């Protein structure tokens, strides 16, 4: 039994080059899977990530749906933050006819600025989103200076 997937393409309001690249990567992955079967877990994938700069910290949020705390490793090597792990495919009782969920090894790497407090980094996992908060070093925090009149 073959399943056909159809999606209506909405006209984007603005060009999103990274979105186009991700779409092309996903299409290539599907083509390879159709040609050679399921790809091995060692191929890996990169989670979707937001990085926010706040006055006192950088916040990295990575989407890892279905991840449990034990599935995720977070390391700081030099100035490189590495979020990695593996999502195992769950055992099924029936025949899997279609699968588009991401499973297997994942990894995301980002180089952090020099001005971070390495000892203050903390991480949490909530609803499939890993949040890593990296505090800025005291000397690097933004400070507002009031202008006085004479």
């Amino acid at each position: 039994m073959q399943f056909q997937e159809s999606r209506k393409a909405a006209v984007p309001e603005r060009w999103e080059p990274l979105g186009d690249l991700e779409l092309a990567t996903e299409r290539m992955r599907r083509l390879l899977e159709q040609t050679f079967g399921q790809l091995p877990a060692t191929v890996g994938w990169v989670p979707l990530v937001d990085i926010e700069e706040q006055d006192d910290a950088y916040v990295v949020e990575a989407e890892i749906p279905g991840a449990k705390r034990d599935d995720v490793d977070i390391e700081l090597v030099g100035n490189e933050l590495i979020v990695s792990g593996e999502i195992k495919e769950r055992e099924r009782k029936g025949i899997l006819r279609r699968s588009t969920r991401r499973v297997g090894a994942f990894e995301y790497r980002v180089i952090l600025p020099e001005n971070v407090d390495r000892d203050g980094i903390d991480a949490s996992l909530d609803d499939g989103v890993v949040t890593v908060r990296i505090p800025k070093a005291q000397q690097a925090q933004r400070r507002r200076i009031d202008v006085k009149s004479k």
Side-chain angles (χ1 to χ4, degrees):
M1 174 184 254
Q2 291 283 337
F3 287 87
Q4 288 285 329
E5 186 174 5
S6 73
R7 296 182 182 174
K8 292 184 179 179
V11 177
E13 293 180 16
R14 61 186 177 132
W15 182 49
E16 296 283 347
L18 293 178
D20 290 347
L21 181 61
E22 185 174 327
L23 183 60
T25 303
E26 182 65 21
R27 286 181 178 164
M28 182 61 78
R29 183 188 65 79
R30 287 183 184 171
L31 179 63
L32 288 171
E33 285 179 354
Q34 289 172 355
T35 306
F36 301 109
Q38 186 69 29
L39 297 173
T42 57
V43 170
W45 53 279
V46 178
L48 300 175
V49 174
D50 288 338
I51 301 176
E52 177 183 358
E53 181 177 0
Q54 300 174 348
D55 286 341
D56 62 341
Y58 299 97
V59 179
V60 177
E61 295 177 320
E63 286 187 13
I64 308 172
K68 296 177 179 59
R69 209 169 44 120
D70 295 337
D71 295 336
V72 181
D73 294 313
I74 300 173
E75 294 180 287
L76 186 63
V77 179
N79 274 7
E80 185 175 38
L81 178 71
I82 304 167
V83 179
S84 62
E86 183 174 1
I87 304 292
K88 294 178 178 55
E89 189 164 350
R90 66 181 179 92
E91 193 172 313
R92 304 195 184 269
K93 294 179 182 175
I95 298 170
L96 183 62
R97 298 287 185 185
R98 182 92 169 129
S99 177
T100 58
R101 288 179 160 178
R102 292 187 177 204
V103 294
F106 62 87
E107 185 175 82
Y108 177 78
R109 293 172 174 254
V110 64
I111 303 294
L112 299 173
E114 296 284 334
N115 61 351
V116 298
D117 176 8
R118 303 166 77 72
D119 297 327
I121 297 174
D122 65 357
S124 63
L125 174 65
D126 189 34
D127 293 332
V129 176
V130 172
T131 303
V132 183
R133 188 172 189 285
I134 305 119
K136 291 180 180 178
Q138 278 296 83
Q139 69 270 19
Q141 289 186 17
R142 188 176 292 187
R143 192 177 114 219
R144 181 168 171 76
I145 299 170
D146 292 328
V147 178
K148 299 175 187 167
S149 60
K150 291 187 176 188

